[in-house]
Coordinates of all heavy atoms in Angstrom, one line a residue:
T1228 N -22.1 25.1 18.5 CA -23.0 26.2 18.9 C -23.2 25.8 20.5 O -23.7 24.6 20.8 CB -24.4 26.1 18.2 OG1 -23.9 26.5 16.8 CG2 -25.3 27.1 18.7
F1229 N -23.1 26.9 21.3 CA -23.5 26.8 22.7 C -24.8 27.5 22.9 O -24.9 28.8 22.6 CB -22.4 27.3 23.5 CG -21.0 26.6 23.4 CD1 -20.1 27.1 22.4 CD2 -20.7 25.6 24.2 CE1 -18.9 26.4 22.3 CE2 -19.5 25.0 24.0 CZ -18.6 25.3 23.1
N1230 N -25.8 26.8 23.4 CA -27.1 27.4 23.7 C -27.2 27.7 25.2 O -27.1 26.8 26.0 CB -28.2 26.5 23.2 CG -29.5 27.0 23.5 OD1 -29.7 28.0 24.2 ND2 -30.6 26.5 22.9
A1231 N -27.2 29.0 25.5 CA -27.2 29.4 27.0 C -28.4 28.8 27.7 O -28.1 28.7 29.0 CB -27.2 30.9 27.0
A1232 N -29.5 28.4 27.2 CA -30.6 27.9 27.9 C -30.3 26.5 28.3 O -30.8 26.0 29.4 CB -31.8 27.8 26.9
T1233 N -29.3 25.7 27.7 CA -28.9 24.4 28.1 C -27.4 24.2 28.4 O -27.1 23.4 29.2 CB -29.3 23.3 27.1 OG1 -28.7 23.7 25.8 CG2 -30.9 23.3 26.8
D1234 N -26.6 25.0 27.9 CA -25.2 24.9 28.1 C -24.8 26.1 29.0 O -25.6 27.0 29.2 CB -24.5 25.1 26.7 CG -24.8 24.0 25.7 OD1 -25.0 22.9 26.1 OD2 -24.9 24.3 24.6
S1235 N -23.5 26.1 29.4 CA -23.1 27.1 30.4 C -22.3 28.0 29.5 O -21.2 27.7 29.0 CB -22.2 26.6 31.5 OG -23.0 25.8 32.4
V1236 N -22.9 29.3 29.4 CA -22.1 30.4 28.6 C -22.0 31.5 29.4 O -23.1 32.0 30.0 CB -23.0 30.7 27.3 CG1 -22.2 31.7 26.5 CG2 -23.2 29.4 26.5
A1237 N -20.9 32.1 29.6 CA -20.7 33.2 30.5 C -19.9 34.4 29.9 O -19.0 34.1 29.0 CB -20.0 32.8 31.8
F1238 N -20.2 35.6 30.1 CA -19.4 36.8 29.9 C -18.6 37.1 31.1 O -19.2 37.3 32.3 CB -20.3 37.8 29.4 CG -19.4 39.0 28.7 CD1 -19.2 38.9 27.4 CD2 -18.8 40.0 29.5 CE1 -18.4 39.9 26.7 CE2 -18.2 41.1 28.9 CZ -17.8 41.0 27.6
V1239 N -17.3 37.2 31.0 CA -16.5 37.5 32.3 C -15.7 38.7 32.2 O -15.3 39.1 30.9 CB -15.5 36.2 32.5 CG1 -16.2 35.1 32.8 CG2 -14.6 35.9 31.3
N1240 N -15.5 39.5 33.2 CA -14.7 40.6 33.3 C -13.7 40.3 34.4 O -14.1 40.0 35.5 CB -15.4 41.8 33.6 CG -16.3 42.3 32.6 OD1 -15.9 42.9 31.6 ND2 -17.6 41.9 32.6
L1241 N -12.4 40.4 34.3 CA -11.4 40.1 35.2 C -10.4 41.3 35.4 O -10.2 42.0 34.4 CB -10.7 39.0 34.8 CG -11.4 37.6 34.6 CD1 -10.6 36.5 34.1 CD2 -12.0 37.1 36.0
K1242 N -9.8 41.4 36.4 CA -8.7 42.4 36.7 C -7.6 41.7 37.4 O -7.7 40.9 38.3 CB -9.2 43.5 37.6 CG -8.2 44.6 37.8 CD -8.7 45.6 38.8 CE -7.6 46.8 38.9 NZ -8.0 47.8 39.7
S1243 N -6.4 41.8 36.8 CA -5.2 41.2 37.2 C -4.2 42.3 37.4 O -3.7 42.9 36.3 CB -4.6 40.2 36.2 OG -3.4 39.7 36.6
G1244 N -3.8 42.8 38.6 CA -3.0 43.9 38.7 C -3.7 45.1 38.1 O -4.8 45.4 38.6
N1245 N -3.0 45.8 37.4 CA -3.6 47.0 36.7 C -4.2 46.7 35.3 O -4.6 47.7 34.6 CB -2.5 48.0 36.4 CG -1.9 48.7 37.7 OD1 -2.8 48.7 38.8 ND2 -0.8 49.0 37.7
N1246 N -4.2 45.4 35.0 CA -4.8 45.1 33.6 C -6.2 44.6 33.8 O -6.5 43.8 34.6 CB -3.9 44.0 33.0 CG -2.5 44.5 32.8 OD1 -2.3 45.6 32.2 ND2 -1.5 43.6 33.0
H1247 N -7.0 45.0 32.8 CA -8.4 44.5 32.8 C -8.5 43.6 31.5 O -8.0 43.9 30.5 CB -9.4 45.7 32.6 CG -9.4 46.6 33.8 ND1 -10.3 46.3 34.8 CD2 -8.7 47.5 34.2 CE1 -10.2 47.3 35.6 NE2 -9.2 48.1 35.4
Y1248 N -9.5 42.6 31.7 CA -9.6 41.6 30.6 C -11.1 41.3 30.6 O -11.9 41.3 31.6 CB -8.8 40.2 30.8 CG -7.5 40.4 30.8 CD1 -6.7 40.7 32.0 CD2 -6.7 40.3 29.6 CE1 -5.3 40.9 32.0 CE2 -5.4 40.4 29.7 CZ -4.7 40.6 30.7 OH -3.3 40.8 30.9
F1249 N -11.6 41.1 29.3 CA -13.0 40.6 29.3 C -13.1 39.4 28.1 O -12.1 39.3 27.3 CB -14.0 41.7 28.8 CG -13.8 42.2 27.3 CD1 -14.5 41.7 26.4 CD2 -13.0 43.3 27.2 CE1 -14.4 42.1 25.0 CE2 -12.7 43.7 25.9 CZ -13.4 43.3 24.8
G1250 N -14.1 38.6 28.3 CA -14.2 37.4 27.3 C -15.4 36.7 27.5 O -16.3 36.9 28.2
L1251 N -15.4 35.6 26.8 CA -16.5 34.6 26.8 C -15.9 33.3 27.2 O -14.9 32.8 26.9 CB -17.1 34.5 25.4 CG -17.7 35.8 24.8 CD1 -17.7 35.7 23.3 CD2 -19.1 36.0 25.4
T1252 N -16.7 32.6 27.9 CA -16.4 31.1 28.2 C -17.6 30.2 28.1 O -18.6 30.8 28.4 CB -15.6 31.0 29.5 OG1 -15.3 29.8 29.7 CG2 -16.5 31.3 30.7
A1253 N -17.5 29.1 27.5 CA -18.6 28.1 27.4 C -18.1 26.7 27.5 O -17.1 26.3 27.1 CB -19.3 28.4 26.0
I1254 N -19.1 25.9 28.0 CA -18.9 24.5 27.9 C -20.3 23.8 27.6 O -21.3 24.4 28.3 CB -18.3 23.9 29.2 CG1 -18.1 22.4 29.2 CG2 -19.2 24.3 30.5 CD1 -17.2 21.8 30.2
N1255 N -20.4 22.9 26.8 CA -21.7 22.4 26.5 C -22.2 21.4 27.6 O -21.4 21.0 28.6 CB -21.7 21.6 25.1 CG -20.8 20.3 25.1 OD1 -20.0 20.0 26.1 ND2 -21.0 19.6 24.0
K1256 N -23.4 21.1 27.6 CA -24.1 20.3 28.5 C -23.4 18.9 28.6 O -23.2 18.3 29.8 CB -25.6 20.0 28.2 CG -26.3 19.4 29.3 CD -27.9 19.3 29.0 CE -28.7 18.6 30.0 NZ -30.1 18.6 29.7
A1257 N -22.9 18.3 27.5 CA -22.4 17.1 27.6 C -20.9 17.0 28.1 O -20.3 16.0 28.3 CB -22.3 16.5 26.2
H1258 N -20.3 18.3 28.3 CA -18.9 18.4 28.7 C -18.0 17.8 27.8 O -17.0 17.4 28.2 CB -18.8 17.9 30.2 CG -19.5 18.8 31.1 ND1 -19.0 19.3 32.3 CD2 -20.8 19.1 31.3 CE1 -19.7 20.0 33.1 NE2 -21.0 19.9 32.4

Side-chain angles (χ1 to χ4, degrees):
T1228 299
F1229 299 92
N1230 181 343
T1233 54
D1234 303 321
S1235 294
V1236 184
F1238 190 90
V1239 295
N1240 290 282
L1241 301 171
K1242 183 177 180 186
S1243 177
N1245 292 330
N1246 296 318
H1247 292 268
Y1248 297 89
F1249 68 90
L1251 300 158
T1252 183
I1254 187 165
N1255 69 348
K1256 186 176 181 178
H1258 289 237

